[in-house]
Amino acid sequence: MNEIVKKNAVNFGLISAAIAIIVTSLMYAIDLKLFVNMWIGFGLLAVWIIIGVLLLNKCKRELNGQLTFKEGFTAYFISALIGIAISTLFNIFLFNFFDTEAKDILTEHLVDFQVGMLEKFNTPKAQIAEAVKTIRENSQFSLKGQLFGFMQALVGAIIFGLILAAILKSKSKDVY
């Protein structure tokens, strides 16, 4: 593996993890309801997109403008894997060992949020009750929920990494 790609991927992965831990810690300290705020979720998604673009642009610049699809995807994937893994480990510790009550409070906030959304769409009461049951039985803040979230985030990162690497790869100089 190219050393520039490796170095940048690790550095940006650690930066991503640090941002995720700081944001999680701030939301935890300020108000647990922030964890179910969709605008914060959209904001964080924008941050991860910007970090990915910055990472691949830095790799491309340091490789003298020549970034292959493989190098771009590898850099993004390693960075995402590091960031997601470290932040997931932090969340597991926070919600399953440090403050287990927060996990239950967050699950209830998530139930309230989901019920509110479903009621806005005139969802039948039976379906709302089933959704509430599912959320309570499969808390995304439990150990199992965190590991499932890790896998979902990784799949999303792979898809986004493929797209980003395809967009930012260097154009071939060969003409057919």
Side-chain angles (χ1 to χ4, degrees):
M1 176 188 311
N2 184 306
E3 285 303 312
I4 291 171
V5 169
K6 184 177 172 182
K7 174 187 66 107
N8 287 334
V10 170
N11 288 341
F12 276 77
L14 293 173
I15 290 167
S16 294
I19 290 170
I21 289 170
I22 290 167
V23 169
T24 298
S25 298
L26 287 172
M27 290 189 311
Y28 174 81
I30 294 169
D31 185 358
L32 291 176
K33 286 185 180 179
L34 295 173
F35 282 93
V36 295
N37 183 310
M38 70 178 167
W39 294 109
I40 290 175
F42 289 140
L44 286 172
L45 183 61
V47 168
W48 305 142
I49 290 170
I50 291 167
I51 287 173
V53 170
L54 292 173
L55 165 62
L56 295 193
N57 279 329
K58 181 173 178 150
C59 286
K60 190 173 188 176
R61 187 175 58 253
E62 291 179 7
L63 292 169
N64 300 317
Q66 296 302 310
L67 182 72
T68 65
F69 174 80
K70 180 182 177 184
E71 290 168 332
F73 177 73
T74 301
Y76 186 83
F77 177 75
I78 291 171
S79 173
L81 180 63
I82 291 170
I84 295 167
I86 293 172
S87 65
T88 299
L89 289 173
F90 177 79
N91 290 343
I92 288 170
F93 171 75
L94 178 63
F95 298 120
N96 293 278
F97 298 103
F98 182 72
D99 187 358
T100 56
E101 289 181 18
K103 171 178 56 177
D104 298 330
I105 293 167
L106 283 170
T107 299
E108 289 309 309
H109 288 325
L110 189 58
V111 165
D112 293 342
F113 175 78
Q114 190 68 32
V115 167
M117 291 297 287
L118 292 173
E119 286 175 345
K120 285 181 184 176
F121 292 107
N122 296 319
T123 305
K125 296 286 184 196
Q127 282 183 304
I128 292 175
E130 187 62 33
V132 167
K133 180 182 173 192
T134 301
I135 291 169
R136 287 195 175 125
E137 289 175 353
N138 303 302
S139 172
Q140 72 183 51
F141 302 100
S142 68
L143 179 61
K144 179 182 169 187
Q146 291 288 332
L147 294 175
F148 183 70
F150 170 81
M151 296 306 295
Q152 286 180 310
L154 199 55
V155 168
I158 288 169
I159 293 167
F160 180 70
L162 290 168
I163 294 167
L164 194 60
I167 292 170
L168 295 177
K169 71 178 173 125
S170 300
K171 306 297 180 234
S172 176
K173 292 182 180 181
D174 298 328
V175 178
Y176 296 99

